[in-house]
Amino acid sequence: MAKPLLAGNWKMHGTAQSAATLAGQIADCAAEAPDIILLPSFVCIPAVIAELAARTNISVGAQNLCQHAQGAYTGEVCAQMLADLGCSHVLVGHSERRALFAENNQLVAEKFAAAQSTGLTPILCVGETLTERQKGLRLQVVKEQITAVVDLVGLQNVCRAVIAYEPVWAIGTGETATPEQAQEVHAYIRAQLGEQGIPTPLLYGGSVKADNAAALFAQPDIDGGLVGGASLEAEQFLNIAQQMVEQK
Ligand code: PEP
């Protein structure tokens, strides 16, 4: 069983000051919380890390990285830069990156490899669109997204990461997968990873809120959550963390 884990994806919100304030509010009350990863925008990372200095169960990660190690890639941020700042994790393949910035499975796999080669833990996001679900393709899509990464880095390395199942139709929409829908895909991912002896945390993401968190976290193959909108407010996020503690 993987350790319960709650990640907050702050997307393109906040300033260095407001991000540090939010991180501080979360840290002040997070003693009884599960392991937490905060994912501010790139430019807010130093302020959040400074705010969290010497506090324990909260890590900081980024929302994206470049697949290349260094070079003439204007505007990009590489894994080593994130590691130097003190990041431990990085999202790869978030659906907003896939849909809005044309990241395909191959590119996501390369970003995953770049993260791991620098010692960062990737949080690999997978999930189907509404049309894919309606066509009965949800498991196939998730399988292909994971297989692309396995083909590049190997199954053992994928198992050393965190995987977030985020049905695209549930992200930022207020629509949440039912606990049964989420559990089905989580169990499928668990089976795809097989018995590698590494407890890979499987997070659910998609409009997780205080009022639906308990039922989701009660599912046996949901080890934690990746929370967007509801992570921007300390009280909501901590409430979700509390539900996780009670269920896990
Ligand atoms: C996300 O950004 O990964 C996410 C799950 O967002 P939301 O919780 O707002 O649906």
Side-chain angles (χ1 to χ4, degrees), residues 9 11 94 96 166 170-173 205-209 226-230:
N9 175 15
K11 310 196 189 200
H94 190 280
E96 286 154 15
E166 300 207 300
I171 298 178
T173 60
S207 299
V208 175
K209 304 267 185 299
L226 174 52
V227 181

Side-chain angles (χ1 to χ4, degrees), residues 18 50 63 74 87 93 121 140 145 159 175 180 207 223 227 247:
S18 71
Q63 300 168 17
T74 302
C87 289
T121 300
Q140 187 182 319
Q145 290 170 335
C159 291
E175 286 268 334
E180 295 73 25
S207 299
D223 302 316
V227 181
Q247 296 301 327

Side-chain angles (χ1 to χ4, degrees), residues 202-221:
L202 301 185
L203 313 184
Y204 169 78
S207 299
V208 175
K209 304 267 185 299
D211 60 5
N212 58 30
L216 288 160
F217 298 148
Q219 300 303 309
D221 289 298

Side-chain angles (χ1 to χ4, degrees), residues 28-176:
D28 282 344
C29 302
E32 298 300 310
D35 285 351
I36 287 176
I37 305 166
L38 299 179
L39 304 159
S41 74
F42 287 135
V43 295
C44 298
I45 288 171
V48 169
I49 287 184
E51 177 68 29
L52 294 175
R55 308 213 202 188
T56 47
N57 62 338
I58 303 188
S59 316
V60 177
Q63 300 168 17
N64 183 32
L65 82 168
C66 182
Q67 71 273 31
H68 300 296
Q70 61 174 343
Y73 301 104
T74 302
E76 291 292 291
V77 174
C78 67
Q80 190 59 55
M81 293 169 178
L82 298 175
D84 283 350
L85 288 181
C87 289
S88 55
H89 291 74
V90 59
L91 290 180
V92 293
H94 190 280
S95 70
E96 286 154 15
R97 302 288 324 165
R98 292 180 190 262
L100 304 175
F101 300 94
E103 293 195 5
N104 60 24
N105 285 345
Q106 177 60 31
L107 178 57
V108 170
E110 289 169 17
K111 290 187 174 203
F112 184 106
Q116 271 191 337
S117 68
T118 312
L120 296 171
T121 300
I123 303 173
L124 172 64
C125 302
V126 298
E128 81 287 358
T129 62
L130 185 57
T131 311
E132 288 162 344
R133 174 163 280 264
Q134 285 166 341
K135 288 184 180 161
L137 297 174
R138 62 196 179 286
L139 301 180
Q140 187 182 319
V141 167
V142 166
K143 180 176 182 181
E144 284 168 6
Q145 290 170 335
I146 294 175
T147 301
V149 185
V150 171
D151 287 348
L152 188 68
V153 304
L155 185 56
Q156 285 273 329
N157 283 324
V158 171
C159 291
R160 288 173 38 235
V162 176
I163 297 182
Y165 169 56
E166 300 207 300
V168 179
W169 47 273
I171 298 178
T173 60
E175 286 268 334
T176 316

